[in-house]
Amino acid sequence: MQIRRFLLKTLVFVIVLVTINRSLGLLFSKGWENPIYFKKREVFLNDYAAHCNTIFYGSSRTYSHIDPVMFDSLNALSALHTDSYMLGTSSVFFNELLYQIDALFKDSRAPKNLKYLFVELDDYLRLTERNLYTPRASYYITPHTIVRFLRTFYADEPNVKSILKQTTYYLSSMVVNFAQSGFGRSKLDQLINPLLEPQEDSWILRRGHFALSIDRPEHRQSGYIERYNALRADTTALQKALDLIKSLDSGINRQSSINPLVLNGYRNLISDFKSRGVHVVVVLPMRNGVDGKLKTLYDALPEGHKIDMSSVATQIPELHTMSQWFDIGHLNIHGVRFYTQSFAQEVQKLNKNLSTQIN
């Protein structure tokens, strides 16, 4: 009886929150849930989409690690023409990433001459109390995405208790987010010192690229300072992260289990855009959260459609020093130069191999 009552309450909770979310979407201006993401997308669609032929999607490990302007300049030197834009958003989840891509290409202003679509590899599905606040978790809550989320999560961990807990977190994020952005944010601004908040324009630099630097005013917040200082305090953290990637590359600690719906999600993305004449490349970035499961997922992707930047980046001597890192998971404005240069070289090699296969 208690289980039935709990399931009934959860069902009512889901229905009410989805209804609220969709209703608020009609009442308030588009993008109230995540103004930074929507502004970036609108800038892209209005000013860049007509001539852009390359798009990047992913998390902060994409939009803060790859400078599109530098990337295009390096490609021009090798006779590879790219006109790129960064559409990555903070802490993007796998299901959110698919939603963002799908939503962009449903817009009539979407790029018509796209050649490359670079997508960050990630199989992260779970919300916790710690990341529930993130200002991105509600705008893509629809009946369709909820079903996809549950199916994907169930394939990863078929546990009823975990599914119910994640569903509650997933939908509760909309309520939390309402108080932290858009309409709700304007009310909270009266209680927050505006000097502690980043300027909105600072998030839309160099075609969507956002360089991390402790010297920038928007990084003088306690959260950033703590992460920055934590890396400086632990002189072994960076080497441990590099050693972990190398051990995974050598076959140590590899896991064979793969979430089939995540794998099929990337495969379907590749095949769908191939029919449109767009080459999708899945990128495993340099990150401290690489594990055997993620590496195994990468290995299962088709050749010619993937780049392992976690392995490539460990071979760059400059990135073995903390002076190139903002925190344990992100490069700073100096390290980005080496990472972008290496990434451009990998793309050029990939393009050359594709051209050879066609010819």
Side-chain angles (χ1 to χ4, degrees), residues 172-183:
S172 296
S173 65
M174 187 274 287
V175 175
V176 177
N177 195 43
F178 176 69
Q180 295 207 4
S181 64
F183 177 79

Side-chain angles (χ1 to χ4, degrees), residues 58-319:
S59 70
S60 57
R61 294 178 182 88
T62 296
Y63 73 67
S64 68
H65 284 185
I66 300 174
D67 181 344
V69 176
M70 180 181 178
F71 175 71
D72 293 345
S73 299
L74 292 168
N75 288 333
L77 296 175
S78 67
L80 173 62
H81 171 66
T82 57
D83 191 335
S84 58
Y85 196 88
M86 181 66 65
L87 283 172
T89 52
S90 180
S91 303
V92 68
F93 283 7
F94 167 73
N95 282 309
E96 181 187 3
L97 183 144
L98 295 184
Y99 174 87
Q100 288 183 358
I101 296 173
D102 183 57
L104 177 73
F105 286 92
K106 284 182 178 178
D107 194 293
S108 60
R109 298 166 294 170
K112 304 297 190 297
N113 302 307
L114 196 65
K115 181 178 180 181
Y116 280 115
L117 176 60
F118 293 102
V119 181
E120 182 177 324
L121 179 65
D122 192 7
D123 63 348
Y124 192 68
L125 302 169
R126 293 162 176 76
L127 279 171
T128 65
E129 293 90 341
R130 184 175 182 180
N131 61 19
L132 193 64
Y133 71 92
T134 46
R136 75 200 191 303
S138 70
Y139 69 91
Y140 68 105
I141 293 181
T142 67
H144 173 71
T145 57
I146 288 174
V147 171
R148 184 170 63 190
F149 168 79
L150 289 175
R151 290 181 65 241
T152 308
F153 182 76
Y154 185 81
D156 195 53
E157 183 178 335
N159 180 290
V160 175
K161 182 178 179 180
S162 296
I163 290 174
L164 293 175
K165 182 177 181 181
Q166 283 299 306
T167 303
T168 303
Y169 281 155
Y170 184 73
L171 295 171
S172 296
S173 65
M174 187 274 287
V175 175
V176 177
N177 195 43
F178 176 69
Q180 295 207 4
S181 64
F183 177 79
R185 187 61 176 210
S186 65
K187 303 302 180 184
L188 290 177
D189 280 344
Q190 302 172 19
L191 306 175
I192 301 175
N193 184 349
L195 296 177
L196 295 178
E197 294 298 302
Q199 295 297 313
E200 191 176 67
D201 287 343
S202 70
W203 293 84
I204 308 172
L205 303 175
R206 294 174 68 85
R207 290 189 243 153
H209 167 63
F210 181 47
L212 291 168
S213 170
I214 195 65
D215 297 326
R216 296 184 64 85
E218 62 269 20
H219 291 145
R220 295 170 191 162
Q221 303 176 74
S222 60
Y224 283 103
I225 293 174
E226 288 173 5
R227 287 161 48 184
Y228 180 85
N229 290 337
L231 178 63
R232 269 64 195 168
D234 185 357
T235 58
T236 64
L238 177 58
Q239 191 57 50
K240 288 179 180 177
L242 295 171
D243 290 342
L244 173 61
I245 294 172
K246 292 178 180 178
S247 71
L248 294 173
D249 287 335
S250 64
I252 302 174
N253 298 323
R254 284 295 186 100
Q255 299 177 24
S256 58
S257 61
I258 297 178
N259 187 319
L261 293 185
V262 173
L263 177 59
N264 289 336
Y266 283 110
R267 285 177 172 172
N268 292 338
L269 198 65
I270 291 171
S271 60
D272 178 41
F273 276 91
K274 184 177 181 180
S275 65
R276 309 185 197 187
V278 180
H279 193 80
V280 174
V281 180
V282 182
V283 182
L284 178 57
M286 181 73 172
R287 51 182 292 177
N288 62 317
V290 173
D291 57 21
K293 189 175 180 181
L294 201 58
K295 281 280 192 178
T296 303
L297 175 62
Y298 174 86
D299 291 340
L301 294 171
E303 293 297 330
H305 292 275
K306 58 185 179 181
I307 294 176
D308 185 354
M309 281 303 297
S310 71
S311 298
V312 173
T314 59
Q315 302 165 15
I316 304 174
E318 290 81 1
L319 298 189

